[in-house]
C-alpha cells in the first residue's frame, strides 16, 4: 500500500532518460529522450510531480519528418527540453545520425495543446552541438542554447555551452552567438538550462559524461549573456563519490521547476544497476537511465541545495505539498515503439492485438526489422503474447528482448520445411548462438518471458495447455549499456521475420501483455 506521506524514486521507471519539466499553472509537463525509437518523445502530465500519465508521443506521424532512417543504436532523438511561453509549448531536441556532425540536426516542434498534435519538425540552420534548450526572458526576448566543441578543444568532450537570440516569429536563430561556460572540468558539458531568480540568471548543465562520473553543475550571472561564475557548491549533484555499490548511480542531466507554492524540485536521470560476479563495477542496468525527483532548497542566491540534509538522491522522500492525483493508465498503443521506422507500414492494430508484416531482417541485423515492443520498466516482470501459426517456409514469429541489434534475445516459432521449431536465440556483439531448439506441434501458441534481475525464463503454452518452461538465459546483463554500450534500455515485444526472403505474409498477435512485479 502506498504511503500518502511519501513518494518513491524513480518516478518514471525504465528507459526514460534526460527528463525536462515545465509548469503551467497547476499542471506539470515532462518529456524524455527516445533515441532511435518511434513514436518519439514521450510527453507526460502530472498534478503532483509524482504520479505521471503519458498523454502522447510528441512525434508520432511520418509527415513530421524526424528522419530516423539513418541513425545508429543510441542515435536519434536526444536530450529534449520542454518549455511554455504565451500559450505555446516548445520542445527542442537533437536528432543524431550516423553522419555526425551533420547540418541541421537541432530541431524544434510546437503545440498549443501538450497532448498534441505537435507541429512538423523544424530543423534549425547553423545550430551546432547537442542538447538544445530555450529560455524566455522577462523582456520578451527568447534565447536558444546548446553545447559545441570549443575552438581550442584538446580532447573529445572538450565542449562549452553557447547561446544565441531566438526569433519567436520565424523560429530561427538571430544575432551574434556567445560562449557561456565550459563547466567545472568534467568532460562533455551539455544539457544546458537557464532560469531567472531574484534578478540572477542561473545556468544548469550536465558534465562528466553520462556514466559513473555524471554530475550536475551550476553557474550564475547578472546578465543572460554572461559572464557566468561557477557556484561554490559545485557539483550540486553527483554520486561519483559514493562508490560502485551505491544503489543509485550515474546521476545527472537535470532540470528544475518551481511549484505554485514556491517550492523547488529537480528531475534528473540516474540508473539502478546491479552487480554481477567477478565484476568490480555494478554497471549493468537493463532498465536504462530512469527519471528521478529530488527536493531542492534555496538557502541563498549562490546555488540550490539538492536533497537537503543528505546531498544524494534518496529512494523515499516526503510527498510534495501538492494534492495527490493518481496517474491514469497509459494505453498500450502509446507505449509501443518501432525501431527507426517512422512509416509504421509493417504493423497495424488488429482487434485486441496487432498484425505484424514480414520484413527480411533478423533481430541481430542493422536493418529495418519487424519488432513492436515496449520498455522493460521493472527488474521483475512477465510479458506474454499469443498468435496462431501461419508461417511460410523459413519464417518465424514470437517474442523478443531487444537492447540493440548487437544485444538481443528472440524466442520464436520457426517453420523449417513444414515442421515447427521453437528456437531461443541470443545475439551479442556479432556472435549468434542457439540456446534451445525443440520441435513443437499445434496451431495456437502462447509464449511468455519472465524476468528476474539478469535471469530471463521462457515458456510456451500450446492449444490452451498450461505454460511449460522451455529454457532460460542467466547472463541477461548483456542487455545493458554496461555490456553492449550505448545509452538506451531493454525492450520486450512482438517479433516476426522472413529471415532473408521476400514475403507478403503477416502474423496476427491476438494480444501482448506486460506486467511488472
Amino acid at each position: 500500500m502506498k504511503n500518502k506521506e511519501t513518494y518513491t524514486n524513480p518516478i518514471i521507471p525504465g528507459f526514460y532518460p534526460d527528463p525536462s519539466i515545465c509548469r503551467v499553472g497547476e499542471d506539470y509537463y515532462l518529456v524524455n529522450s527516445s533515441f532511435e525509437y518511434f513514436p518519439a518523445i514521450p510527453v507526460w502530465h502530472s498534478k503532483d510531480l509524482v504520479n505521471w500519465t503519458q498523454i502522447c508521443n510528441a512525434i508520432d506521424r511520418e509527415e513530421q519528418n524526424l528522419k530516423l532512417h539513418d541513425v545508429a543504436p543510441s542515435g536519434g532523438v536526444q536530450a529534449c527540453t520542454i518549455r511554455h511561453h504565451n500559450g505555446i509549448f516548445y520542445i527542442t531536441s537533437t536528432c543524431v545520425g550516423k553522419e555526425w556532425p551533420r547540418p541541421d540536426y537541432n530541431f524544434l516542434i510546437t503545440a498549443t495543446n501538450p497532448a498534441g498534435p505537435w507541429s512538423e519538425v523544424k530543423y534549425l540552420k547553423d545550430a551546432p552541438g547537442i542538447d538544445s534548450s530555450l529560455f524566455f526572458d522577462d523582456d520578451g526576448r527568447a534565447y536558444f542554447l546548446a553545447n559545441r566543441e570549443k575552438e581550442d578543444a584538446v580532447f573529445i568532450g572538450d565542449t562549452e555551452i553557447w547561446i544565441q537570440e531566438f526569433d519567436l516569429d520565424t523560429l530561427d536563430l538571430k544575432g551574434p552567438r556567445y560562449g557561456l561556460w565550459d563547466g567545472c572540468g568534467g568532460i562533455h558539458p551539455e544539457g544546458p538550462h537557464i532560469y531567472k531568480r531574484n534578478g540572477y540568471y542561473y545556468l544548469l548543465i550536465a558534465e562528466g559524461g553520462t556514466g559513473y562520473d555524471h554530475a550536475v553543475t551550476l553557474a550564475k550571472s547578472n546578465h543572460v549573456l554572461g559572464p557566468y561564475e561557477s557556484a561554490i557548491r559545485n557539483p550540486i549533484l553527483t554520486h561519483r563519490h559514493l562508490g560502485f555499490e551505491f544503489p543509485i548511480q550515474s546521476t545527472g542531466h537535470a532540470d528544475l521547476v518551481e511549484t505554485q507554492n514556491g517550492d523547488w524540485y529537480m528531475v534528473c536521470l540516474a540508473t539502478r544497476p546491479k552487480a554481477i560476479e567477478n565484476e568490480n563495477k555494478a554497471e549493468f542496468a537493463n532498465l536504462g537511465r530512469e527519471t528521478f525527483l529530488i527536493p531542492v532548497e534555496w538557502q541563498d542566491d549562490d546555488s540550490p541545495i539538492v536533497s537537503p540534509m543528505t546531498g544524494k538522491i534518496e529512494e523515499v522522500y516526503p510527498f510534495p505539498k501538492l494534492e495527490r492525483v493518481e496517474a491514469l493508465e497509459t494505453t498500450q498503443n502509446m507505449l509501443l515503439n518501432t525501431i527507426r521506422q517512422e512509416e509504421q507500414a509493417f504493423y497495424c492494430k488488429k482487434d485486441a492485438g496487432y498484425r505484424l508484416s514480414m520484413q527480411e531482417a533478423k533481430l541481430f541485423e542493422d536493418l529495418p526489422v519487424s519488432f513492436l515492443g515496449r520498455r522493460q520498466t521493472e527488474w521483475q516482470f512477465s510479458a506474454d503474447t499469443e498468435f496462431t501459426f501461419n508461417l511460410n517456409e523459413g519464417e518465424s514469429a514470437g517474442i523478443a528482448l531487444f537492447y540493440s541489434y548487437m544485444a538481443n534475445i528472440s524466442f520464436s516459432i520457426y517453420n523449417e520445411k513444414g515442421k515447427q521449431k521453437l528456437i531461443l536465440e541470443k545475439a551479442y556483439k556479432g556472435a549468434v548462438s542457439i540456446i534451445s531448439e525443440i520441435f513443437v506441434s499445434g496451431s495456437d501458441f502462447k509464449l511468455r518471458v519472465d524476468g528476474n534481475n539478469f535471469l530471463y525464463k521462457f515458456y510456451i503454452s500450446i492449444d490452451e495447455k498450461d505454460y511449460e518452461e522451455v529454457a532460460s538465459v542467466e547472463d541477461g546483463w548483456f542487455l545493458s549499456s554496461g555490456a553492449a554500450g550505448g545509452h538506451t534500455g531493454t525492450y520486450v515485444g512482438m517479433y516476426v521475420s522472413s529471415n532473408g526472403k521476400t514475403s507478403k505474409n503477416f502474423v496476427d498477435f491476438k494480444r501482448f501483455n506486460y506486467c511488472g512485479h
Side-chain angles (χ1 to χ4, degrees), residues 346 356-362 369-372 391 396-398 494-499 505-507 509:
F346 77 88
L356 271 63
S357 297
M358 294 287 173
Q359 297 186 90
E360 298 181 18
K362 302 177 183 179
V369 62
S370 293
F371 174 84
L372 183 64
L391 302 176
S396 57
M494 299 160 282
Y495 164 61
V496 302
S497 177
S498 57
N499 296 302
N505 198 12
F506 56 83
V507 174
F509 290 83

Side-chain angles (χ1 to χ4, degrees), residues 470-492:
V470 175
S472 64
V473 174
E474 297 183 0
D475 61 348
W477 48 264
F478 78 94
L479 299 171
S480 69
S481 61
H487 306 294
T488 58
T490 302
Y491 268 69
V492 57

Side-chain angles (χ1 to χ4, degrees), residues 353-412:
Y354 301 86
R355 173 173 289 179
L356 271 63
S357 297
M358 294 287 173
Q359 297 186 90
E360 298 181 18
K362 302 177 183 179
L363 207 61
F364 50 81
E365 296 177 312
D366 189 15
L367 295 167
V369 62
S370 293
F371 174 84
L372 183 64
R374 55 153 293 160
R375 294 160 174 85
Q376 177 187 337
T377 51
E378 290 84 17
W379 278 106
Q380 289 77 37
F381 76 95
S382 293
D384 64 89
T385 190
E386 179 181 3
F387 59 93
T388 300
F389 190 85
N390 185 29
L391 302 176
N392 297 323
E393 165 70 21
E395 296 175 347
S396 57
I399 197 168
L401 294 159
F402 183 87
Y403 178 80
S404 73
Y405 77 91
M406 297 290 288
N408 53 78
I409 303 170
S410 62
F411 185 54
S412 56

Side-chain angles (χ1 to χ4, degrees), residues 169-241:
D169 294 323
T170 65
L171 302 182
D172 292 314
L173 300 174
K174 66 179 182 180
R177 180 173 299 159
Y178 302 89
L180 292 186
W181 192 42
D182 60 359
C184 298
I187 62 171
H188 296 296
E190 58 191 12
H193 299 303
I194 287 181
Y195 318 88
K196 192 172 185 180
R197 180 180 181 274
N198 292 346
Y200 292 106
Y201 295 87
Y202 294 89
L203 173 60
L204 186 80
I205 72 167
E207 60 177 286
T210 192
Y212 282 110
D213 293 328
H214 212 20
V216 180
T217 56
L218 189 81
K220 88 171 181 178
S221 175
N222 291 313
H223 194 279
V224 65
L225 301 179
Y228 282 83
E229 295 184 359
S230 177
I232 60 173
R233 301 187 181 104
N234 278 324
I236 62 171
L237 177 66
T238 187
H239 281 193
R240 61 192 180 199
H241 60 297

